[in-house]
Amino acid sequence: MPLISLEEQRNNYLRSYGLTCKMTSYLSFYGDKSYMSYSYIFNFSNAATQIILKERKLPEVNVVINPDYSVSPACEKGGIAIKDTTTKQLWWEAFFINSLEFEQIRPLTKEEIICYKYIEKYGVYSSLALAIN
């Protein structure tokens, strides 16, 4: 059986869900600018939906995937996906300045889960991509 390149695997995944994805990168600085890393924006789209997620490598936190949009009218842009320990469902959490706490906002939509899992598997900082490089 012939080996399939990482790029072909990515394309097959996207094609199977009718998605396209454009990726861009930017340099991020953290703390007192003593730590920097590249962050990546994945712009997923199909005929009806656009989902923009960021993949970032943070110091001491590892890799995070954030929405580049508001997950609720009550929130500003951003958040983080967490897995509910009881239901195992992915939820968006957002940080609220007033309470200085993260709060669960809503479950990820079917489309958001597909895009999130794409980055988990094929993102720049994914174990698969790191193993090949």
Side-chain angles (χ1 to χ4, degrees), residues 9 12 23 25 31 40 43 67 77 98 103 106 111 123 130-131:
Q9 290 177 46
N12 289 342
M23 185 183 75
S25 65
Y40 298 87
N43 188 337
K77 181 168 79 168
N98 296 342
E103 296 179 25
R106 64 169 176 82
E111 292 82 10
L130 293 174

Side-chain angles (χ1 to χ4, degrees), residues 29-84:
F29 295 94
Y30 301 99
D32 59 357
K33 294 191 176 186
S34 61
Y35 181 84
M36 66 178 191
S37 73
Y38 280 98
S39 297
Y40 298 87
I41 297 175
F42 293 81
N43 188 337
F44 298 94
S45 59
N46 63 21
T49 308
Q50 181 180 30
I51 296 172
I52 302 172
L53 300 176
K54 292 181 179 181
E55 179 188 32
R56 302 181 302 143
K57 183 156 178 47
L58 301 177
E60 299 179 25
V61 178
N62 211 356
V63 177
V64 294
I65 300 170
N66 308 107
D68 195 32
Y69 50 89
S70 174
V71 295
S72 164
C75 306
E76 292 187 22
K77 181 168 79 168
I80 190 163
I82 56 105
K83 189 176 280 190
D84 184 277

Side-chain angles (χ1 to χ4, degrees), residues 3-127:
L3 291 175
I4 299 174
S5 72
L6 180 58
E7 191 62 32
E8 286 178 273
Q9 290 177 46
R10 288 176 172 155
N11 290 335
N12 289 342
Y13 182 95
L14 292 170
R15 202 174 303 115
S16 69
Y17 293 106
L19 290 169
T20 61
C21 180
K22 292 185 180 183
M23 185 183 75
T24 56
S25 65
Y26 62 97
L27 192 56
S28 299
F29 295 94
Y30 301 99
D32 59 357
K33 294 191 176 186
S34 61
Y35 181 84
M36 66 178 191
S37 73
Y38 280 98
S39 297
Y40 298 87
I41 297 175
F42 293 81
N43 188 337
F44 298 94
S45 59
N46 63 21
T49 308
Q50 181 180 30
I51 296 172
I52 302 172
L53 300 176
K54 292 181 179 181
E55 179 188 32
R56 302 181 302 143
K57 183 156 178 47
L58 301 177
E60 299 179 25
V61 178
N62 211 356
V63 177
V64 294
I65 300 170
N66 308 107
D68 195 32
Y69 50 89
S70 174
V71 295
S72 164
C75 306
E76 292 187 22
K77 181 168 79 168
I80 190 163
I82 56 105
K83 189 176 280 190
D84 184 277
T85 55
T86 308
T87 66
K88 305 299 183 208
Q89 186 175 22
L90 284 169
W91 282 74
W92 287 124
E93 274 193 353
F95 186 75
F96 284 86
I97 297 294
N98 296 342
S99 65
L100 297 176
E101 293 182 357
F102 278 94
E103 296 179 25
Q104 277 191 354
I105 304 300
R106 64 169 176 82
L108 275 70
T109 64
K110 177 183 168 189
E111 292 82 10
E112 287 171 329
I113 291 171
I114 291 166
C115 297
Y116 183 89
K117 289 185 182 256
Y118 173 87
I119 295 173
E120 271 189 331
K121 186 167 186 174
Y122 300 114
V124 175
Y125 294 118
S126 74
S127 56

